[in-house]
Amino acid sequence: MDYYLSVATFAGLNVILALSLNLISGFCGQVSLGHAAFYGLGAYAAALCSVAGLPMGVSVAVGMLVAGGFGIVTGFAALRVREDFLAIVTMGVGFLFLGAVRKQAWLGAEMGIAKIPSPLDKWGYAALAIGGAVAVLLLSLHVRRSWMGRAFGAVAQDEDAARSIGVDVSGYKIAAFFIGTAAAGLAGGIYAHMTQLVVPDAFNFVQSVTILAMVVVGGIGSTLGVVAGAVLLTLMPEMFRFINDYKLLVYGGLLLLVMRFSPEGLAGLVHRVTGRRLA
Amino acid sequence: MLEGVGLGIAFGGVRAVNGVNLRVERGELAGLIGPNGAGKTTLLRLLTGVLAPEAGSVRFEGKDVTRVPIHRRAQLGFVLTHQIVRPFREMTLLENVMVAAASEVTRRPWRALASVEVWPARQRALALLERLGIADAADKPAHSVPLGYLKRMQVARALALEPRLLMLDEPLAGLNYTEAARFADLIVQLNAEGTTIVLVEHNLGEVTRIAGRLLVLHNGAILAEGEPREVMARKDVRDAYLGVQAAHA
Ligand SMILES: Nc1ncnc2c1ncn2[C@@H]1O[C@H](COP(=O)(O)OP(=O)(O)OP(=O)(O)O)[C@@H](O)[C@H]1O
Ligand SMILES: [Mg+2]
C-alpha cells in the first residue's frame, strides 16, 4: 500500500509541476528549461522554515512566495531577451540555483537539509498532493476561460500585435512567471515534508527536462493533456525500472519524437481521433 | 492633437526618417503619401512608439509621449494598424477583435484573471466585423482567411479600442477596386463620427478623394503638404514619384 500511496503522491506533485510550467510555456508562450529550480526553491524555503519550527502550512506558503518571488525576477530577465534566448536564460537560472545551493553551508551544501519535521502520514501527503493537483488544475481551467487566458494567448501568438491593442505584454509575462513558479513552489513544499530530506540533485537539469517532457507529451497548452502526460510519465519509470537510469536519454528522445510526429502531444492525438479539442 | 518634432532614425547608413516635423489636428483626415521606401511606415512607427526615435519627440494631446510604451499609447486612444497584417493566428477573427474590445478588462492582469464575462466584448466585436463586412468569417481561424479579410479584421481590432487617433498603414492594399472604394467610404464615415485619422496609402486616387490634407514624404523628409489636388499638381511631387518609377524600371 505504501508503494501505491507514494506513486500517487508523486503523480500529484508531477501534475502540479507540469501544469505550472504549462501556464508559463503553454498559455503565455514563454519557454522555460529551468523549472526544477522553482520546485527546489519552494522545497528549500519550506524545509528551512519547518526546521526552524514553523508549522507546515506556513512553511509551504513561504516556499510558494519564495519561488514566486524568484519567478518574478526571472520574468523581468525574460523581458530583456529575445524568444530563442529565453531557453538559455532559464536553463541558466536552473544551473545558477544548483550551483548556489551546492556551495552554501547553511543549506547543507551537497548533503542538503535533513530531519525536516513531517506532521502527516502517507495518506495525508497523497491527499495533499492530489488536492494540490486538483487546485492547480481548476486554476488552469479558470485562467484559460478568463480574459487573462485570452491575453496570454495574444502575447504567445504575436507580442507586437498584442502591444498595439493595449495589452501590457510585460505585465502578463511576469504574471505568468509568478503564478507558474509559485505553484512549482507548492509542489516543492509538499515534497520536502514528505521526504524529510532535500538535496540539490532532486532539482537538477534532468528534473527540468522531465517536467518539460510531461508538458510536451501531454500537449503544450492543453490542461487535460498535460495532466495525462504528467501521470503517464510518472507511471512509466515505475513500470519500466530501467528508465530511471536513462531518464535524460528517454525523456529527451520522447521530446524529439513528439515534436516531430505529434507536436500537439496526446491532446493532439485525441483531437485527431475524436475531432474534439481538449480544454 | 499629435505633434512630431524633429523626428529622425537611421538603419545602418540609411536615414529612413530625417528631421520630420508634423502636426495632426483633431478631427482631420490626413493622407500621408510618398514613393516606396520614402519612410512612411517608419514615420508611423516612430509616432506610435513601435520604434524609439534617435532624434526628436512626439506629443499627443499636449503630453510628451516619446517614452510612453506602445500599449499605454493604445490605451490613451492612439492606435496603429500595421502595413503587414499581424493577426493572432490561432484565434478566430471574432476572438481577435474581442481581445481588443475587452481592453478595459485586460489592462491589468489581475483584473483579467477575475473576469470571465465575454458577452459585451463579443457583441461589440461582432458589430465591428459586420461593419467591416467580414462577419461571415467571424468563426474562421485567422490563419485560414484571405489577406483582404485580415486587413479589415485589423481595422476592426483597432476600432474596438475606440481610438481617438487612428493611423492606418495601407489599409486598401490587397483589396479590389470596389472593396477599396467601399473601405475608403468607411474611413470617411469613421472620421465624420469623430475619429482623427492618418492614412498612408499608395492608392492615390482614393487618398486624394477622401483626405482633407495631404503630406508627401520623400527620402525621409516632408516634401510637400496641403490641399490634396494642389499637392498632387506640384512638379516636385510628380518628379519624386516618377523618379522612383524610373529607378525601378
Ligand atoms: N527595420 C529596418 N531595418 C533596416 N532598414 C529599414 C527598416 N525599416 C525600414 N528600413 C528602410 O528604411 C526606408 C524606409 O522604409 P519604410 O518602410 O518606412 O518605407 P515606406 O514609405 O513605408 O515604403 P512602402 O511604401 O514600400 O511601404 C527603406 O529604405 C527601408 O529599406
Ligand atoms: Mg510602408
Side-chain angles (χ1 to χ4, degrees):
Chain A
M1 195 68 220
D2 276 5
Y3 169 73
Y4 292 105
L5 281 178
S6 109
V7 171
T9 310
F10 275 104
L13 294 181
N14 283 335
V15 167
I16 298 177
L17 290 171
L19 284 177
S20 65
L21 179 60
N22 187 49
L23 251 151
I24 300 172
S25 303
F27 289 6
C28 196
Q30 306 303 297
V31 191
S32 176
L33 292 183
H35 206 55
F38 303 98
Y39 182 34
L41 279 163
Y44 269 88
L48 284 177
C49 290
S50 266
V51 169
L54 290 176
M56 178 175 163
V58 176
S59 301
V60 172
V62 171
M64 290 177 73
L65 287 179
V66 169
F70 278 91
I72 290 177
V73 175
T74 308
F76 273 105
L79 303 181
R80 310 238 148 252
V81 299
R82 283 217 339 256
E83 216 171 308
D84 37 358
F85 204 63
L86 184 56
I88 296 171
V89 169
T90 50
M91 201 196 288
V93 167
F95 286 124
L96 204 64
F97 166 77
L98 278 184
V101 167
R102 287 205 160 109
K103 294 288 170 233
Q104 299 299 315
W106 61 286
L107 294 175
E110 295 288 353
M111 307 294 292
I113 302 174
K115 302 210 186 79
I116 302 165
S118 186
L120 303 177
D121 62 4
K122 292 236 169 213
W123 284 98
Y125 286 111
L128 195 59
I130 292 168
V134 170
V136 178
L137 168 65
L138 293 177
L139 176 72
S140 291
L141 292 173
H142 169 77
V143 167
R144 195 49 148 189
R145 280 181 58 231
S146 76
W147 282 103
M148 178 180 255
R150 291 168 191 271
F152 277 161
V155 173
Q157 287 170 42
D158 192 331
E159 280 185 28
D160 293 329
R163 277 191 196 96
S164 67
I165 58 161
V167 173
D168 177 3
V169 170
S170 311
Y172 277 96
K173 283 187 186 175
I174 288 168
F177 269 99
F178 175 73
I179 302 174
T181 55
L186 168 68
I190 299 173
Y191 171 85
H193 288 88
M194 179 187 69
T195 59
Q196 297 183 267
L197 169 73
V198 291
V199 291
D201 262 342
F203 314 107
N204 59 13
F205 184 61
V206 178
Q207 180 65 38
S208 288
V209 171
T210 305
I211 302 171
L212 183 65
M214 291 170 179
V215 173
V216 172
V217 167
I220 188 156
S222 160
T223 300
L224 299 182
V226 167
V227 171
V231 172
L232 188 75
L233 291 210
T234 309
L235 298 183
M236 239 170 52
E238 297 301 326
M239 293 190 282
F240 309 102
R241 282 286 160 178
F242 68 91
I243 291 180
N244 270 319
D245 301 330
Y246 302 97
K247 258 193 172 164
L248 197 54
L249 194 67
V250 173
Y251 289 169
L254 206 55
L255 269 176
L256 290 180
L257 279 179
V258 173
M259 294 289 205
R260 172 67 186 77
F261 294 106
S262 178
E264 290 177 51
L266 292 173
L269 285 181
V270 171
H271 179 56
R272 252 179 279 165
V273 173
T274 66
R276 281 187 43 196
R277 278 217 176 271
L278 288 182
Chain B
M1 176 169 226
L2 179 75
E3 193 179 4
V5 182
L7 288 171
I9 193 167
F11 299 111
V14 186
R15 295 222 127 269
V17 170
N18 197 357
V20 167
N21 297 308
L22 94 173
R23 288 176 67 91
V24 178
E25 303 300 335
R26 184 184 311 278
E28 77 169 326
L29 200 180
L32 176 61
I33 63 167
N36 287 115
K40 304 178 297 292
T41 296
T42 307
L43 178 58
L44 288 201
R45 293 170 141 218
L46 289 175
L47 289 169
T48 49
V50 178
L51 286 172
E54 285 162 3
S57 64
V58 181
R59 295 176 75 78
F60 179 63
E61 302 198 313
K63 280 191 297 277
D64 187 332
V65 293
T66 316
R67 308 248 158 267
V68 174
I70 311 163
H71 73 273
R72 285 287 306 142
R73 294 192 211 196
Q75 291 168 4
L76 289 172
F78 177 14
V79 177
L80 166 76
T81 68
H82 296 271
Q83 174 174 4
I84 299 168
V85 289
R86 304 292 292 265
F88 302 121
R89 299 179 53 80
E90 306 298 319
M91 298 186 197
T92 64
L93 294 191
L94 182 63
E95 286 167 341
N96 262 275
V97 181
M98 278 168 68
V99 184
S103 79
E104 277 296 316
V105 181
T106 57
R107 191 159 294 187
R108 279 183 213 81
W110 305 115
R111 171 134 184 248
L113 179 61
S115 170
V116 291
E117 194 190 22
V118 292
W119 188 245
R122 196 186 165 82
Q123 287 307 98
R124 280 192 45 225
L126 205 52
L128 283 166
L129 289 181
E130 263 155 25
R131 183 152 194 202
L132 274 291
I134 52 174
D136 57 316
D139 294 321
K140 295 229 169 71
H143 64 73
S144 74
V145 302
L147 181 64
Y149 274 76
L150 293 180
K151 282 257 168 196
R152 283 179 278 175
M153 179 281 286
Q154 208 161 244
V155 175
R157 201 168 64 179
L159 290 176
L161 297 165
E162 302 186 329
R164 279 174 294 155
L165 171 57
L166 182 57
M167 307 200 126
L168 300 167
D169 198 351
E170 297 196 24
L172 305 185
L175 302 186
N176 67 33
Y177 183 79
T178 27
E179 281 173 338
R182 200 175 320 137
F183 201 99
D185 289 339
L186 175 69
I187 293 172
V188 172
Q189 224 177 69
L190 291 169
N191 179 243
E193 288 165 16
T195 313
T196 308
I197 293 175
V198 175
L199 174 65
V200 169
E201 244 323 310
H202 277 299
N203 185 333
L204 297 180
E206 291 297 343
V207 213
T208 34
R209 177 169 77 86
I210 67 174
R213 185 166 68 103
L214 220 50
L215 294 132
V216 185
L217 203 63
H218 183 46
N219 290 335
I222 302 275
L223 175 68
E225 80 177 271
E227 202 278 324
R229 253 155 282 273
E230 286 168 22
V231 168
M232 291 309 294
R234 277 172 57 161
K235 178 155 182 348
D236 50 356
V237 172
R238 297 188 157 270
D239 285 348
Y241 270 93
L242 286 175
V244 167
Q245 269 156 22
H248 276 222

